[in-house]
């Protein structure tokens, strides 16, 4: 029994740390051995796609993909010598990709928004498409084709005096075979799925994500085009007609410069071509180079036109609330101009909207957002947003000590409103419908026939609570704002509607309401 408890504790610890799902048989987790002690067929330890281990692994994979997308084309195009260190790095990356294939066979997936954690279903789903793409991208095709002797593994553009290789034909064939390494870049198609599992990426605004994605793609494409541009000259043997010699100043050769110099020249050409600037100092000179330039110019013009248009649109809509505020203020200014309103009144109206923008969250359409959510998420979101208000609601005598489910449901019925200075909220003698909690601002309570201010209500206080005690009560005083105020209101009808879903506490609420009503009625003067 002690050993079973230790094994059960270890399984729970592994599930908590790594996000594993323990699919043992038996009615209780601790009694796995008594129930047979074996996993169900096709099940066992599976990894949740949102677990900490899976996310950490994906981040490492993402970093490797970024490294490959930059280093692999660069090394092939510019003839970087394949040293033992490069070989070790490549083998380590291949091993990581193979491990990723194995890990994918143990990672659950979502099908029609339902989490699937069955091992056989996971493998079958993975084998439909992604397994074969990952295998093709992971196998070391270049090592399977190229020989391992030193002569074929080294491809430097400066081995001979004339800037070419010993044998132009064999060098071009070798360079072509080395392009097999680019198959590893097929792994980049998984980058969107990896990013989708990252909380930081998912929590970004859509416009921010789009801008980051656009510039990242722009830089990577420019890097690839630069590598391909130099690769063409390399495959041409850096002859007299290649752009590296034809476009260089008299007596110079771009191919004979340092590695950094050659790369900067290539990137310079790629950027000027993609942005449609094209200074004309580096131009194609052969048919192959001209064909490649045609493709690059078509890509560049499309990227420039689409990219600039989308960036302008995204930047204009980066702050959704600000966009709505400006649009409504433009409509408001046109309306006030049409009606020839006094300038002092216009100023007060603009101040009111400015207050709502900065304090009440009006321009986020919070009620519409809440209305689209299911009840459970709406309650959870309301509690999370209004933590301070919930504490005030719990401290209110009518709701003090009641069950969490009722209070959470009641939180979704709270209404927020903003009021300018000198605005009456309730009038003396009118029928009571709602009580109010003050989130921000200052109000005064007055009564006819009584000089001066009876009481000042400030942030954290409430008034009008008699509306929840008795259905036929009327206001005893008038409450007016002194400054801009943000209030939370709770209607009697909403409280009654919430109670209909919690009938077991109706008696307790009614008893408290009657007691509090008698207590308020005995006061002089009574509450508003």
């Amino acid at each position: 029994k002690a050993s079973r408890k230790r094994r059960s504790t270890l399984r729970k610890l592994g599930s908590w740390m790594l996000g594993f799902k323990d699919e043992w048989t038996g009615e209780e987790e601790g009694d796995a051995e008594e129930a047979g002690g074996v996993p169900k067929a096709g099940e066992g330890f599976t990894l949740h796609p949102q677990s900490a281990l899976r996310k950490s692994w994906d981040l490492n994979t993402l970093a490797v993909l970024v490294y490959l997308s930059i280093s692999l084309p660069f090394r092939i195009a510019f003839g970087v010598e394949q040293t033992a260190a490069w070989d070790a790095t490549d083998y380590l990356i291949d091993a990581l990709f193979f491990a990723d294939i194995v890990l994918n066979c143990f990672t659950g997936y979502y099908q029609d928004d339902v989490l699937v954690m069955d091992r056989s279903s996971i493998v079958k789903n993975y084998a439909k498409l992604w397994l074969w793409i990952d295998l093709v991208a992971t196998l070391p095709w270049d090592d399977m084709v190229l020989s391992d002797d030193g002569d074929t593994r080294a491809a430097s553009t400066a081995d001979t005096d004339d800037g070419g290789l010993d044998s132009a034909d064999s060098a071009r064939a070798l360079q072509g075979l080395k392009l097999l390494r680019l198959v590893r870049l097929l792994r980049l198609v998984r980058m969107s799925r990896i990013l989708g599992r990252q909380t930081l990426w998912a929590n970004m605004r859509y416009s921010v994500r789009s801008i980051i994605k656009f510039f990242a793609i722009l830089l990577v494409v420019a890097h690839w085009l630069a590598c391909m541009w130099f690769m063409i000259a390399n495959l041409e043997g850096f002859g007299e007609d290649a752009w590296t010699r034809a476009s260089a100043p008299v007596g110079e050769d771009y191919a004979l410069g340092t590695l950094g110099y050659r790369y900067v020249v290539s990137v310079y050409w790629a950027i000027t071509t993609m942005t449609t600037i094209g200074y004309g100092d580096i131009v194609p000179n052969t048919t192959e180079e001209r064909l490649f330039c045609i493709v690059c110019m078509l890509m560049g013009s499309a990227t420039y036109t689409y990219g600039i248009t989308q960036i302008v649109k995204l930047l204009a809509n980066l702050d959704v609330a600000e966009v709505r505020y400006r649009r409504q203020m433009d409509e408001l200014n046109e309306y006030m101009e049409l009606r020839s309103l006094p300038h002092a009144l216009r100023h007060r109206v603009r101040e009111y909207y400015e207050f709502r923008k900065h304090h009440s969250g009006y321009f986020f359409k919070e009620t519409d957002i809440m209305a689209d959510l299911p009840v459970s998420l709406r309650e959870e979101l309301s509690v999370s947003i209004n933590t301070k208000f919930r504490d005030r609601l719990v401290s209110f005598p009518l709701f003090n000590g009641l069950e969490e489910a009722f209070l959470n449901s009641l939180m979704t019925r709270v209404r927020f409103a903003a009021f300018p200075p000198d605005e009456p909220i309730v009038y003396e003698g009118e029928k009571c419908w709602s009580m109010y909690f003050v989130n921000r601002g200052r109000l005064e309570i007055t009564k006819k026939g009584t000089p001066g201010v009876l009481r000042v209500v400030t942030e954290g206080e409430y008034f009008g609570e008699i509306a929840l005690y008795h259905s036929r009560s009327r206001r005893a005083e008038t409450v007016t704002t002194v400054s801009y105020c943000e209030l939370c209101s709770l209607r009697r009808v909403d409280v009654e509607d919430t109670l209909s879903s919690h009938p077991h506490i109706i008696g307790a609420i009614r008893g408290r309401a009657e007691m509090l009503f008698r207590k308020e009625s005995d006061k002089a003067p009574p509450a508003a």
Side-chain angles (χ1 to χ4, degrees), residues 119-139:
R119 178 81 57 76
S120 60
S121 299
I122 292 172
V123 175
K124 288 178 183 177
N125 180 72
Y126 187 39
K128 288 179 181 178
L129 177 63
W130 288 109
L131 173 61
W132 311 112
I133 294 177
D134 290 345
L135 280 174
V136 171
T138 303
L139 290 174

Side-chain angles (χ1 to χ4, degrees), residues 290-359:
R290 290 189 181 98
L291 288 174
F292 181 70
C293 281
I294 290 172
V295 175
C296 290
M297 286 186 286
L298 290 174
M299 287 178 55
S301 59
T303 303
Y304 182 80
T305 305
Y306 174 79
I308 295 300
T309 304
Q310 291 300 310
I311 287 176
V312 170
K313 186 186 299 183
L314 291 170
L315 289 175
N317 295 279
L318 194 59
D319 191 337
V320 178
E322 183 68 24
V323 170
R324 288 175 179 165
Y325 169 73
R326 291 175 181 173
R327 186 182 298 120
Q328 186 153 355
M329 291 303 294
D330 289 339
E331 295 176 359
L332 182 64
N333 287 331
E334 290 183 11
Y335 171 77
M336 292 191 295
E337 184 67 30
L338 177 66
R339 296 300 183 186
S340 300
L341 298 180
H343 290 285
L345 180 57
R346 297 185 193 186
H347 179 70
R348 288 170 56 197
V349 171
R350 293 191 190 98
E351 276 191 341
Y352 170 71
Y353 276 99
E354 188 73 19
F355 174 81
R356 295 184 73 169
K357 171 193 171 186
H358 291 293
H359 299 291

Side-chain angles (χ1 to χ4, degrees), residues 268-527:
Y268 164 78
W269 172 87
I271 295 295
T272 55
T273 303
M274 287 184 64
T275 56
T276 69
I277 296 174
Y279 289 112
D281 50 347
I282 299 177
V283 294
N285 201 46
T286 64
T287 302
E288 292 80 4
E289 292 172 359
R290 290 189 181 98
L291 288 174
F292 181 70
C293 281
I294 290 172
V295 175
C296 290
M297 286 186 286
L298 290 174
M299 287 178 55
S301 59
T303 303
Y304 182 80
T305 305
Y306 174 79
I308 295 300
T309 304
Q310 291 300 310
I311 287 176
V312 170
K313 186 186 299 183
L314 291 170
L315 289 175
N317 295 279
L318 194 59
D319 191 337
V320 178
E322 183 68 24
V323 170
R324 288 175 179 165
Y325 169 73
R326 291 175 181 173
R327 186 182 298 120
Q328 186 153 355
M329 291 303 294
D330 289 339
E331 295 176 359
L332 182 64
N333 287 331
E334 290 183 11
Y335 171 77
M336 292 191 295
E337 184 67 30
L338 177 66
R339 296 300 183 186
S340 300
L341 298 180
H343 290 285
L345 180 57
R346 297 185 193 186
H347 179 70
R348 288 170 56 197
V349 171
R350 293 191 190 98
E351 276 191 341
Y352 170 71
Y353 276 99
E354 188 73 19
F355 174 81
R356 295 184 73 169
K357 171 193 171 186
H358 291 293
H359 299 291
S360 65
Y362 167 77
F363 293 97
F364 282 107
K365 304 284 186 182
E366 193 169 27
T367 54
D368 294 342
I369 295 173
M370 289 289 193
D372 289 338
L373 295 174
V375 176
S376 58
L377 278 179
R378 195 184 312 156
E379 292 180 0
E380 191 173 344
L381 189 61
S382 297
V383 172
S384 179
I385 293 173
N386 306 307
T387 305
K388 290 183 179 179
F389 175 74
R390 190 181 185 282
D391 295 338
R392 296 170 189 169
L393 192 67
V394 172
S395 64
F396 182 56
L398 187 63
F399 305 126
N400 185 259
L402 294 180
E403 61 183 32
E404 294 289 323
F406 170 75
L407 294 174
N408 292 342
S409 180
L410 194 62
M411 287 287 294
T412 63
R413 306 301 187 98
V414 175
R415 301 177 179 221
F416 294 84
F419 299 92
D422 301 321
E423 179 78 11
I425 306 300
V426 299
Y427 290 93
E428 181 180 345
E430 72 176 3
K431 194 168 183 180
C432 301
W433 300 107
S434 306
M435 74 167 296
Y436 299 87
F437 295 83
V438 182
N439 279 354
R440 185 180 287 104
R442 185 168 175 265
L443 304 96
E444 292 180 345
I445 299 178
T446 58
K447 184 176 177 64
K448 293 179 181 178
T450 303
V453 177
L454 296 179
R455 184 163 66 96
V456 175
V457 186
T458 58
E459 181 178 340
E461 297 181 327
Y462 56 83
F463 62 92
E465 63 274 18
I466 197 171
L468 304 186
Y469 299 159
H470 200 282
S471 60
R472 293 188 296 275
S473 58
R474 293 188 176 273
R475 302 291 183 188
E477 299 103 1
T478 299
V479 182
T480 308
T481 61
V482 177
S483 63
Y484 279 101
C485 295
E486 183 186 31
L487 306 180
C488 300
S489 65
L490 187 59
R491 301 187 305 171
R492 178 183 176 87
V493 65
D494 291 330
V495 176
E496 292 174 346
D497 189 42
T498 306
L499 281 172
S500 64
S501 302
H502 302 81
H504 55 285
I505 62 174
I506 291 179
I509 288 286
R510 286 179 177 172
R512 291 185 184 184
E514 291 176 2
M515 181 187 67
L516 292 169
F517 179 70
R518 287 195 299 267
K519 184 177 179 181
E520 290 292 331
S521 299
D522 294 339
K523 285 183 179 180

Side-chain angles (χ1 to χ4, degrees), residues 47 49 54-55 57-66 68-69 96-110 122-138 183-198 201 213 224:
L47 193 62
R54 181 74 243 193
K55 289 182 178 180
W57 180 267
D58 285 343
L59 281 176
N60 293 329
T61 305
L62 185 63
V64 172
L65 288 174
V66 172
L68 279 182
S69 66
L96 183 143
F97 282 166
F98 274 117
D100 185 59
I101 292 176
V102 176
L103 193 63
N104 288 333
C105 294
F106 288 83
T107 303
Y109 68 97
Y110 288 95
I122 292 172
V123 175
K124 288 178 183 177
N125 180 72
Y126 187 39
K128 288 179 181 178
L129 177 63
W130 288 109
L131 173 61
W132 311 112
I133 294 177
D134 290 345
L135 280 174
V136 171
T138 303
V183 176
R184 288 184 175 91
L185 297 181
L186 280 175
R187 280 268 175 170
L188 292 175
V189 299
R190 296 184 65 88
M191 188 173 289
S192 60
R193 298 182 64 189
I194 293 175
L195 288 174
R197 287 197 288 258
Q198 299 304 315
W201 179 256
K213 189 187 299 183
W224 288 354

